[in-house]
PDB file of all heavy atoms in Angstrom:
ATOM      1  N   ALA A 222      -9.776  18.889 -11.884  1.00 44.00           N
ATOM      2  CA  ALA A 222     -10.573  18.750 -13.098  1.00 44.00           C
ATOM      3  C   ALA A 222     -11.056  17.322 -13.286  1.00 44.00           C
ATOM      4  O   ALA A 222     -12.140  17.097 -13.801  1.00 44.00           O
ATOM      5  CB  ALA A 222      -9.770  19.194 -14.316  1.00 44.00           C
ATOM      6  N   GLY A 223     -10.263  16.346 -12.854  1.00 48.00           N
ATOM      7  CA  GLY A 223     -10.640  14.954 -13.032  1.00 48.00           C
ATOM      8  C   GLY A 223     -11.266  14.345 -11.807  1.00 48.00           C
ATOM      9  O   GLY A 223     -11.630  13.191 -11.804  1.00 48.00           O
ATOM     10  N   SER A 224     -11.382  15.095 -10.749  1.00 48.00           N
ATOM     11  CA  SER A 224     -11.913  14.568  -9.507  1.00 48.00           C
ATOM     12  C   SER A 224     -13.402  14.850  -9.409  1.00 48.00           C
ATOM     13  O   SER A 224     -13.853  15.945  -9.661  1.00 48.00           O
ATOM     14  CB  SER A 224     -11.187  15.212  -8.325  1.00 48.00           C
ATOM     15  OG  SER A 224     -11.750  14.757  -7.126  1.00 48.00           O
ATOM     16  N   GLU A 225     -14.130  13.844  -9.052  1.00 49.00           N
ATOM     17  CA  GLU A 225     -15.579  13.993  -8.933  1.00 49.00           C
ATOM     18  C   GLU A 225     -15.995  13.868  -7.480  1.00 49.00           C
ATOM     19  O   GLU A 225     -16.951  13.184  -7.148  1.00 49.00           O
ATOM     20  CB  GLU A 225     -16.270  12.932  -9.783  1.00 49.00           C
ATOM     21  CG  GLU A 225     -15.919  13.052 -11.248  1.00 49.00           C
ATOM     22  CD  GLU A 225     -16.319  11.829 -12.047  1.00 49.00           C
ATOM     23  OE1 GLU A 225     -16.880  10.885 -11.458  1.00 49.00           O
ATOM     24  OE2 GLU A 225     -16.073  11.822 -13.250  1.00 49.00           O
ATOM     25  N   GLY A 226     -15.259  14.529  -6.596  1.00 50.00           N
ATOM     26  CA  GLY A 226     -15.594  14.457  -5.171  1.00 50.00           C
ATOM     27  C   GLY A 226     -15.311  13.093  -4.605  1.00 50.00           C
ATOM     28  O   GLY A 226     -16.093  12.556  -3.850  1.00 50.00           O
ATOM     29  N   GLY A 227     -14.189  12.489  -5.007  1.00 56.00           N
ATOM     30  CA  GLY A 227     -13.854  11.143  -4.587  1.00 56.00           C
ATOM     31  C   GLY A 227     -13.675  11.034  -3.087  1.00 56.00           C
ATOM     32  O   GLY A 227     -13.584  12.017  -2.371  1.00 56.00           O
ATOM     33  N   SER A 228     -13.589   9.834  -2.640  1.00 68.00           N
ATOM     34  CA  SER A 228     -13.517   9.577  -1.218  1.00 68.00           C
ATOM     35  C   SER A 228     -12.091   9.264  -0.787  1.00 68.00           C
ATOM     36  O   SER A 228     -11.450   8.381  -1.341  1.00 68.00           O
ATOM     37  CB  SER A 228     -14.422   8.395  -0.895  1.00 68.00           C
ATOM     38  OG  SER A 228     -14.152   7.905   0.379  1.00 68.00           O
ATOM     39  N   ARG A 229     -11.621   9.998   0.219  1.00 71.00           N
ATOM     40  CA  ARG A 229     -10.301   9.723   0.787  1.00 71.00           C
ATOM     41  C   ARG A 229     -10.298   8.337   1.425  1.00 71.00           C
ATOM     42  O   ARG A 229      -9.295   7.639   1.377  1.00 71.00           O
ATOM     43  CB  ARG A 229      -9.960  10.806   1.809  1.00 71.00           C
ATOM     44  CG  ARG A 229      -8.589  10.652   2.422  1.00 71.00           C
ATOM     45  CD  ARG A 229      -8.258  11.856   3.293  1.00 71.00           C
ATOM     46  NE  ARG A 229      -7.132  11.619   4.127  1.00 71.00           N
ATOM     47  CZ  ARG A 229      -5.880  11.862   3.774  1.00 71.00           C
ATOM     48  NH1 ARG A 229      -5.630  12.354   2.597  1.00 71.00           N
ATOM     49  NH2 ARG A 229      -4.882  11.624   4.600  1.00 71.00           N
ATOM     50  N   ALA A 230     -11.443   7.939   1.972  1.00 78.00           N
ATOM     51  CA  ALA A 230     -11.524   6.621   2.602  1.00 78.00           C
ATOM     52  C   ALA A 230     -11.362   5.521   1.559  1.00 78.00           C
ATOM     53  O   ALA A 230     -10.689   4.520   1.815  1.00 78.00           O
ATOM     54  CB  ALA A 230     -12.846   6.471   3.340  1.00 78.00           C
ATOM     55  N   SER A 231     -11.941   5.675   0.381  1.00 91.00           N
ATOM     56  CA  SER A 231     -11.797   4.630  -0.631  1.00 91.00           C
ATOM     57  C   SER A 231     -10.379   4.605  -1.178  1.00 91.00           C
ATOM     58  O   SER A 231      -9.857   3.547  -1.514  1.00 91.00           O
ATOM     59  CB  SER A 231     -12.811   4.802  -1.760  1.00 91.00           C
ATOM     60  OG  SER A 231     -12.550   5.969  -2.503  1.00 91.00           O
ATOM     61  N   ALA A 232      -9.730   5.772  -1.286  1.00 93.00           N
ATOM     62  CA  ALA A 232      -8.332   5.801  -1.724  1.00 93.00           C
ATOM     63  C   ALA A 232      -7.458   5.089  -0.699  1.00 93.00           C
ATOM     64  O   ALA A 232      -6.571   4.312  -1.060  1.00 93.00           O
ATOM     65  CB  ALA A 232      -7.872   7.246  -1.918  1.00 93.00           C
ATOM     66  N   ARG A 233      -7.705   5.333   0.566  1.00 93.00           N
ATOM     67  CA  ARG A 233      -6.939   4.667   1.625  1.00 93.00           C
ATOM     68  C   ARG A 233      -7.184   3.161   1.594  1.00 93.00           C
ATOM     69  O   ARG A 233      -6.263   2.363   1.756  1.00 93.00           O
ATOM     70  CB  ARG A 233      -7.315   5.240   2.984  1.00 93.00           C
ATOM     71  CG  ARG A 233      -6.498   4.674   4.107  1.00 93.00           C
ATOM     72  CD  ARG A 233      -6.692   5.499   5.375  1.00 93.00           C
ATOM     73  NE  ARG A 233      -5.741   5.109   6.374  1.00 93.00           N
ATOM     74  CZ  ARG A 233      -5.933   4.103   7.236  1.00 93.00           C
ATOM     75  NH1 ARG A 233      -7.037   3.424   7.208  1.00 93.00           N
ATOM     76  NH2 ARG A 233      -5.005   3.797   8.114  1.00 93.00           N
ATOM     77  N   SER A 234      -8.424   2.779   1.386  1.00 93.00           N
ATOM     78  CA  SER A 234      -8.757   1.366   1.293  1.00 93.00           C
ATOM     79  C   SER A 234      -8.025   0.712   0.115  1.00 93.00           C
ATOM     80  O   SER A 234      -7.430  -0.361   0.263  1.00 93.00           O
ATOM     81  CB  SER A 234     -10.267   1.204   1.126  1.00 93.00           C
ATOM     82  OG  SER A 234     -10.603  -0.134   0.854  1.00 93.00           O
ATOM     83  N   ASN A 235      -8.054   1.360  -1.038  1.00 94.00           N
ATOM     84  CA  ASN A 235      -7.342   0.821  -2.204  1.00 94.00           C
ATOM     85  C   ASN A 235      -5.852   0.737  -1.928  1.00 94.00           C
ATOM     86  O   ASN A 235      -5.196  -0.227  -2.313  1.00 94.00           O
ATOM     87  CB  ASN A 235      -7.612   1.675  -3.449  1.00 94.00           C
ATOM     88  CG  ASN A 235      -8.971   1.404  -4.038  1.00 94.00           C
ATOM     89  OD1 ASN A 235      -9.514   0.317  -3.899  1.00 94.00           O
ATOM     90  ND2 ASN A 235      -9.519   2.399  -4.700  1.00 94.00           N
ATOM     91  N   TYR A 236      -5.306   1.743  -1.268  1.00 94.00           N
ATOM     92  CA  TYR A 236      -3.883   1.725  -0.942  1.00 94.00           C
ATOM     93  C   TYR A 236      -3.563   0.518  -0.047  1.00 94.00           C
ATOM     94  O   TYR A 236      -2.616  -0.217  -0.307  1.00 94.00           O
ATOM     95  CB  TYR A 236      -3.451   3.027  -0.240  1.00 94.00           C
ATOM     96  CG  TYR A 236      -2.004   2.979   0.152  1.00 94.00           C
ATOM     97  CD1 TYR A 236      -1.012   3.324  -0.753  1.00 94.00           C
ATOM     98  CD2 TYR A 236      -1.620   2.542   1.415  1.00 94.00           C
ATOM     99  CE1 TYR A 236       0.329   3.237  -0.411  1.00 94.00           C
ATOM    100  CE2 TYR A 236      -0.284   2.447   1.766  1.00 94.00           C
ATOM    101  CZ  TYR A 236       0.683   2.795   0.851  1.00 94.00           C
ATOM    102  OH  TYR A 236       2.006   2.693   1.189  1.00 94.00           O
ATOM    103  N   LEU A 237      -4.352   0.337   1.002  1.00 94.00           N
ATOM    104  CA  LEU A 237      -4.075  -0.762   1.930  1.00 94.00           C
ATOM    105  C   LEU A 237      -4.197  -2.123   1.252  1.00 94.00           C
ATOM    106  O   LEU A 237      -3.426  -3.038   1.541  1.00 94.00           O
ATOM    107  CB  LEU A 237      -4.992  -0.682   3.146  1.00 94.00           C
ATOM    108  CG  LEU A 237      -4.671   0.454   4.118  1.00 94.00           C
ATOM    109  CD1 LEU A 237      -5.720   0.532   5.214  1.00 94.00           C
ATOM    110  CD2 LEU A 237      -3.286   0.294   4.722  1.00 94.00           C
ATOM    111  N   TRP A 238      -5.131  -2.276   0.338  1.00 93.00           N
ATOM    112  CA  TRP A 238      -5.335  -3.570  -0.305  1.00 93.00           C
ATOM    113  C   TRP A 238      -4.397  -3.809  -1.480  1.00 93.00           C
ATOM    114  O   TRP A 238      -4.018  -4.944  -1.737  1.00 93.00           O
ATOM    115  CB  TRP A 238      -6.780  -3.730  -0.758  1.00 93.00           C
ATOM    116  CG  TRP A 238      -7.683  -3.964   0.397  1.00 93.00           C
ATOM    117  CD1 TRP A 238      -8.558  -3.080   0.948  1.00 93.00           C
ATOM    118  CD2 TRP A 238      -7.792  -5.149   1.190  1.00 93.00           C
ATOM    119  NE1 TRP A 238      -9.189  -3.633   2.026  1.00 93.00           N
ATOM    120  CE2 TRP A 238      -8.748  -4.907   2.193  1.00 93.00           C
ATOM    121  CE3 TRP A 238      -7.173  -6.392   1.145  1.00 93.00           C
ATOM    122  CZ2 TRP A 238      -9.087  -5.864   3.133  1.00 93.00           C
ATOM    123  CZ3 TRP A 238      -7.525  -7.344   2.084  1.00 93.00           C
ATOM    124  CH2 TRP A 238      -8.475  -7.070   3.072  1.00 93.00           C
ATOM    125  N   LYS A 239      -4.037  -2.768  -2.200  1.00 92.00           N
ATOM    126  CA  LYS A 239      -3.237  -2.961  -3.414  1.00 92.00           C
ATOM    127  C   LYS A 239      -1.765  -2.604  -3.230  1.00 92.00           C
ATOM    128  O   LYS A 239      -0.914  -3.177  -3.879  1.00 92.00           O
ATOM    129  CB  LYS A 239      -3.783  -2.105  -4.563  1.00 92.00           C
ATOM    130  CG  LYS A 239      -5.262  -2.213  -4.812  1.00 92.00           C
ATOM    131  CD  LYS A 239      -5.604  -3.450  -5.578  1.00 92.00           C
ATOM    132  CE  LYS A 239      -7.064  -3.408  -5.988  1.00 92.00           C
ATOM    133  NZ  LYS A 239      -7.731  -4.649  -5.801  1.00 92.00           N
ATOM    134  N   CYS A 240      -1.455  -1.624  -2.403  1.00 92.00           N
ATOM    135  CA  CYS A 240      -0.105  -1.050  -2.363  1.00 92.00           C
ATOM    136  C   CYS A 240       0.679  -1.395  -1.103  1.00 92.00           C
ATOM    137  O   CYS A 240       1.911  -1.477  -1.143  1.00 92.00           O
ATOM    138  CB  CYS A 240      -0.185   0.478  -2.471  1.00 92.00           C
ATOM    139  SG  CYS A 240      -1.225   1.077  -3.816  1.00 92.00           S
ATOM    140  N   ALA A 241      -0.004  -1.546   0.005  1.00 92.00           N
ATOM    141  CA  ALA A 241       0.679  -1.644   1.303  1.00 92.00           C
ATOM    142  C   ALA A 241       1.552  -2.886   1.443  1.00 92.00           C
ATOM    143  O   ALA A 241       2.526  -2.858   2.201  1.00 92.00           O
ATOM    144  CB  ALA A 241      -0.333  -1.583   2.440  1.00 92.00           C
ATOM    145  N   THR A 242       1.244  -3.956   0.740  1.00 91.00           N
ATOM    146  CA  THR A 242       2.074  -5.145   0.894  1.00 91.00           C
ATOM    147  C   THR A 242       3.511  -4.889   0.461  1.00 91.00           C
ATOM    148  O   THR A 242       4.437  -5.476   1.009  1.00 91.00           O
ATOM    149  CB  THR A 242       1.508  -6.356   0.132  1.00 91.00           C
ATOM    150  OG1 THR A 242       1.362  -6.013  -1.236  1.00 91.00           O
ATOM    151  CG2 THR A 242       0.186  -6.797   0.724  1.00 91.00           C
ATOM    152  N   CYS A 243       3.698  -3.997  -0.506  1.00 90.00           N
ATOM    153  CA  CYS A 243       5.071  -3.636  -0.930  1.00 90.00           C
ATOM    154  C   CYS A 243       5.528  -2.318  -0.308  1.00 90.00           C
ATOM    155  O   CYS A 243       6.652  -2.208   0.166  1.00 90.00           O
ATOM    156  CB  CYS A 243       5.155  -3.513  -2.447  1.00 90.00           C
ATOM    157  SG  CYS A 243       5.060  -5.104  -3.296  1.00 90.00           S
ATOM    158  N   HIS A 244       4.674  -1.303  -0.337  1.00 92.00           N
ATOM    159  CA  HIS A 244       5.070   0.031   0.101  1.00 92.00           C
ATOM    160  C   HIS A 244       4.881   0.246   1.597  1.00 92.00           C
ATOM    161  O   HIS A 244       5.308   1.276   2.121  1.00 92.00           O
ATOM    162  CB  HIS A 244       4.291   1.097  -0.684  1.00 92.00           C
ATOM    163  CG  HIS A 244       4.648   1.114  -2.135  1.00 92.00           C
ATOM    164  ND1 HIS A 244       5.784   1.714  -2.610  1.00 92.00           N
ATOM    165  CD2 HIS A 244       4.025   0.584  -3.204  1.00 92.00           C
ATOM    166  CE1 HIS A 244       5.844   1.556  -3.921  1.00 92.00           C
ATOM    167  NE2 HIS A 244       4.792   0.870  -4.314  1.00 92.00           N
ATOM    168  N   GLY A 245       4.249  -0.697   2.293  1.00 91.00           N
ATOM    169  CA  GLY A 245       4.039  -0.575   3.730  1.00 91.00           C
ATOM    170  C   GLY A 245       2.772   0.204   4.046  1.00 91.00           C
ATOM    171  O   GLY A 245       2.326   1.037   3.263  1.00 91.00           O
ATOM    172  N   ASP A 246       2.189  -0.068   5.195  1.00 92.00           N
ATOM    173  CA  ASP A 246       0.940   0.578   5.603  1.00 92.00           C
ATOM    174  C   ASP A 246       1.058   2.095   5.661  1.00 92.00           C
ATOM    175  O   ASP A 246       0.111   2.806   5.405  1.00 92.00           O
ATOM    176  CB  ASP A 246       0.470   0.056   6.967  1.00 92.00           C
ATOM    177  CG  ASP A 246      -0.014  -1.385   6.897  1.00 92.00           C
ATOM    178  OD1 ASP A 246      -0.242  -1.883   5.776  1.00 92.00           O
ATOM    179  OD2 ASP A 246      -0.167  -2.003   7.957  1.00 92.00           O
ATOM    180  N   ARG A 247       2.230   2.584   6.011  1.00 93.00           N
ATOM    181  CA  ARG A 247       2.436   4.029   6.131  1.00 93.00           C
ATOM    182  C   ARG A 247       3.242   4.613   4.977  1.00 93.00           C
ATOM    183  O   ARG A 247       3.618   5.774   5.004  1.00 93.00           O
ATOM    184  CB  ARG A 247       3.092   4.350   7.459  1.00 93.00           C
ATOM    185  CG  ARG A 247       2.230   3.916   8.636  1.00 93.00           C
ATOM    186  CD  ARG A 247       2.753   4.480   9.929  1.00 93.00           C
ATOM    187  NE  ARG A 247       2.055   3.920  11.060  1.00 93.00           N
ATOM    188  CZ  ARG A 247       0.912   4.393  11.551  1.00 93.00           C
ATOM    189  NH1 ARG A 247       0.338   5.410  10.992  1.00 93.00           N
ATOM    190  NH2 ARG A 247       0.362   3.840  12.605  1.00 93.00           N
ATOM    191  N   GLY A 248       3.517   3.783   3.945  1.00 92.00           N
ATOM    192  CA  GLY A 248       4.171   4.277   2.745  1.00 92.00           C
ATOM    193  C   GLY A 248       5.676   4.389   2.810  1.00 92.00           C
ATOM    194  O   GLY A 248       6.283   5.065   1.990  1.00 92.00           O
ATOM    195  N   ARG A 249       6.320   3.711   3.749  1.00 91.00           N
ATOM    196  CA  ARG A 249       7.766   3.839   3.927  1.00 91.00           C
ATOM    197  C   ARG A 249       8.584   2.917   3.010  1.00 91.00           C
ATOM    198  O   ARG A 249       9.797   2.890   3.093  1.00 91.00           O
ATOM    199  CB  ARG A 249       8.132   3.548   5.375  1.00 91.00           C
ATOM    200  CG  ARG A 249       7.592   4.576   6.325  1.00 91.00           C
ATOM    201  CD  ARG A 249       8.089   4.333   7.739  1.00 91.00           C
ATOM    202  NE  ARG A 249       7.436   5.245   8.634  1.00 91.00           N
ATOM    203  CZ  ARG A 249       6.772   4.872   9.718  1.00 91.00           C
ATOM    204  NH1 ARG A 249       6.702   3.612  10.057  1.00 91.00           N
ATOM    205  NH2 ARG A 249       6.186   5.773  10.480  1.00 91.00           N
ATOM    206  N   GLY A 250       7.906   2.123   2.189  1.00 88.00           N
ATOM    207  CA  GLY A 250       8.625   1.189   1.320  1.00 88.00           C
ATOM    208  C   GLY A 250       9.072  -0.059   2.042  1.00 88.00           C
ATOM    209  O   GLY A 250       9.961  -0.768   1.581  1.00 88.00           O
ATOM    210  N   ASP A 251       8.447  -0.342   3.187  1.00 90.00           N
ATOM    211  CA  ASP A 251       8.876  -1.463   4.023  1.00 90.00           C
ATOM    212  C   ASP A 251       7.854  -2.593   4.098  1.00 90.00           C
ATOM    213  O   ASP A 251       7.756  -3.286   5.091  1.00 90.00           O
ATOM    214  CB  ASP A 251       9.190  -0.965   5.433  1.00 90.00           C
ATOM    215  CG  ASP A 251       7.994  -0.269   6.092  1.00 90.00           C
ATOM    216  OD1 ASP A 251       6.944  -0.092   5.440  1.00 90.00           O
ATOM    217  OD2 ASP A 251       8.124   0.117   7.264  1.00 90.00           O
ATOM    218  N   GLY A 252       7.107  -2.785   3.024  1.00 88.00           N
ATOM    219  CA  GLY A 252       6.123  -3.867   3.000  1.00 88.00           C
ATOM    220  C   GLY A 252       6.796  -5.233   2.963  1.00 88.00           C
ATOM    221  O   GLY A 252       7.937  -5.376   2.510  1.00 88.00           O
ATOM    222  N   TRP A 253       6.080  -6.222   3.407  1.00 88.00           N
ATOM    223  CA  TRP A 253       6.685  -7.545   3.540  1.00 88.00           C
ATOM    224  C   TRP A 253       6.960  -8.204   2.197  1.00 88.00           C
ATOM    225  O   TRP A 253       7.933  -8.939   2.061  1.00 88.00           O
ATOM    226  CB  TRP A 253       5.831  -8.444   4.429  1.00 88.00           C
ATOM    227  CG  TRP A 253       4.542  -8.891   3.821  1.00 88.00           C
ATOM    228  CD1 TRP A 253       3.352  -8.241   3.858  1.00 88.00           C
ATOM    229  CD2 TRP A 253       4.318 -10.085   3.069  1.00 88.00           C
ATOM    230  NE1 TRP A 253       2.401  -8.943   3.180  1.00 88.00           N
ATOM    231  CE2 TRP A 253       2.971 -10.085   2.686  1.00 88.00           C
ATOM    232  CE3 TRP A 253       5.116 -11.150   2.678  1.00 88.00           C
ATOM    233  CZ2 TRP A 253       2.403 -11.107   1.934  1.00 88.00           C
ATOM    234  CZ3 TRP A 253       4.552 -12.166   1.925  1.00 88.00           C
ATOM    235  CH2 TRP A 253       3.213 -12.141   1.572  1.00 88.00           C
ATOM    236  N   THR A 254       6.157  -7.962   1.158  1.00 85.00           N
ATOM    237  CA  THR A 254       6.446  -8.611  -0.123  1.00 85.00           C
ATOM    238  C   THR A 254       7.652  -7.985  -0.806  1.00 85.00           C
ATOM    239  O   THR A 254       8.381  -8.673  -1.511  1.00 85.00           O
ATOM    240  CB  THR A 254       5.233  -8.586  -1.071  1.00 85.00           C
ATOM    241  OG1 THR A 254       4.784  -7.248  -1.245  1.00 85.00           O
ATOM    242  CG2 THR A 254       4.102  -9.443  -0.556  1.00 85.00           C
ATOM    243  N   ALA A 255       7.865  -6.701  -0.611  1.00 80.00           N
ATOM    244  CA  ALA A 255       9.067  -6.079  -1.172  1.00 80.00           C
ATOM    245  C   ALA A 255      10.299  -6.706  -0.534  1.00 80.00           C
ATOM    246  O   ALA A 255      11.289  -7.005  -1.213  1.00 80.00           O
ATOM    247  CB  ALA A 255       9.041  -4.573  -0.937  1.00 80.00           C
ATOM    248  N   TRP A 256      10.242  -6.920   0.764  1.00 80.00           N
ATOM    249  CA  TRP A 256      11.353  -7.567   1.454  1.00 80.00           C
ATOM    250  C   TRP A 256      11.534  -8.995   0.947  1.00 80.00           C
ATOM    251  O   TRP A 256      12.643  -9.425   0.657  1.00 80.00           O
ATOM    252  CB  TRP A 256      11.099  -7.572   2.967  1.00 80.00           C
ATOM    253  CG  TRP A 256      12.132  -8.360   3.713  1.00 80.00           C
ATOM    254  CD1 TRP A 256      13.353  -7.931   4.125  1.00 80.00           C
ATOM    255  CD2 TRP A 256      12.027  -9.729   4.116  1.00 80.00           C
ATOM    256  NE1 TRP A 256      14.024  -8.946   4.756  1.00 80.00           N
ATOM    257  CE2 TRP A 256      13.226 -10.063   4.767  1.00 80.00           C
ATOM    258  CE3 TRP A 256      11.040 -10.696   3.986  1.00 80.00           C
ATOM    259  CZ2 TRP A 256      13.456 -11.327   5.277  1.00 80.00           C
ATOM    260  CZ3 TRP A 256      11.278 -11.949   4.505  1.00 80.00           C
ATOM    261  CH2 TRP A 256      12.480 -12.256   5.147  1.00 80.00           C
ATOM    262  N   LEU A 257      10.429  -9.719   0.811  1.00 82.00           N
ATOM    263  CA  LEU A 257      10.481 -11.112   0.397  1.00 82.00           C
ATOM    264  C   LEU A 257      11.103 -11.256  -0.991  1.00 82.00           C
ATOM    265  O   LEU A 257      11.922 -12.127  -1.226  1.00 82.00           O
ATOM    266  CB  LEU A 257       9.072 -11.718   0.412  1.00 82.00           C
ATOM    267  CG  LEU A 257       8.952 -13.175   0.006  1.00 82.00           C
ATOM    268  CD1 LEU A 257       9.611 -14.060   1.044  1.00 82.00           C
ATOM    269  CD2 LEU A 257       7.481 -13.548  -0.132  1.00 82.00           C
ATOM    270  N   PHE A 258      10.720 -10.385  -1.915  1.00 79.00           N
ATOM    271  CA  PHE A 258      11.225 -10.468  -3.290  1.00 79.00           C
ATOM    272  C   PHE A 258      12.456  -9.598  -3.519  1.00 79.00           C
ATOM    273  O   PHE A 258      12.896  -9.435  -4.650  1.00 79.00           O
ATOM    274  CB  PHE A 258      10.122 -10.102  -4.274  1.00 79.00           C
ATOM    275  CG  PHE A 258       8.986 -11.079  -4.272  1.00 79.00           C
ATOM    276  CD1 PHE A 258       7.722 -10.665  -3.903  1.00 79.00           C
ATOM    277  CD2 PHE A 258       9.185 -12.400  -4.608  1.00 79.00           C
ATOM    278  CE1 PHE A 258       6.662 -11.568  -3.888  1.00 79.00           C
ATOM    279  CE2 PHE A 258       8.138 -13.304  -4.583  1.00 79.00           C
ATOM    280  CZ  PHE A 258       6.872 -12.892  -4.233  1.00 79.00           C
ATOM    281  N   ARG A 259      12.985  -9.021  -2.433  1.00 80.00           N
ATOM    282  CA  ARG A 259      14.182  -8.181  -2.495  1.00 80.00           C
ATOM    283  C   ARG A 259      14.016  -7.019  -3.474  1.00 80.00           C
ATOM    284  O   ARG A 259      14.909  -6.712  -4.252  1.00 80.00           O
ATOM    285  CB  ARG A 259      15.401  -9.017  -2.837  1.00 80.00           C
ATOM    286  CG  ARG A 259      15.707 -10.039  -1.776  1.00 80.00           C
ATOM    287  CD  ARG A 259      16.913 -10.834  -2.108  1.00 80.00           C
ATOM    288  NE  ARG A 259      17.134 -11.803  -1.055  1.00 80.00           N
ATOM    289  CZ  ARG A 259      18.311 -12.194  -0.671  1.00 80.00           C
ATOM    290  NH1 ARG A 259      19.381 -11.706  -1.237  1.00 80.00           N
ATOM    291  NH2 ARG A 259      18.435 -13.077   0.280  1.00 80.00           N
ATOM    292  N   LEU A 260      12.849  -6.394  -3.404  1.00 80.00           N
ATOM    293  CA  LEU A 260      12.570  -5.219  -4.224  1.00 80.00           C
ATOM    294  C   LEU A 260      12.733  -3.969  -3.377  1.00 80.00           C
ATOM    295  O   LEU A 260      12.502  -3.998  -2.170  1.00 80.00           O
ATOM    296  CB  LEU A 260      11.141  -5.267  -4.766  1.00 80.00           C
ATOM    297  CG  LEU A 260      10.818  -6.416  -5.714  1.00 80.00           C
ATOM    298  CD1 LEU A 260       9.327  -6.430  -6.019  1.00 80.00           C
ATOM    299  CD2 LEU A 260      11.617  -6.291  -6.990  1.00 80.00           C
TER     300      LEU A 260
END
């Protein structure tokens, strides 16, 4: 209902730029900043 035909590529891009540093490129929670800040 809230989706307007969004792009999987843009979601992946946002994930890599905003989330991957903590959650890791593949989402395993092994990003380098999480390790650095002991999160």
Side-chain angles (χ1 to χ4, degrees):
S224 177
E225 299 166 0
S228 166
R229 182 173 166 89
S231 67
R233 184 167 190 273
S234 172
N235 283 332
Y236 177 85
L237 288 174
W238 287 106
K239 310 281 189 223
C240 311
T242 57
C243 288
H244 294 281
D246 290 346
R247 299 191 188 274
R249 294 186 186 126
D251 58 356
W253 71 272
T254 55
W256 174 84
L257 180 68
F258 295 117
R259 297 181 181 214
L260 296 173

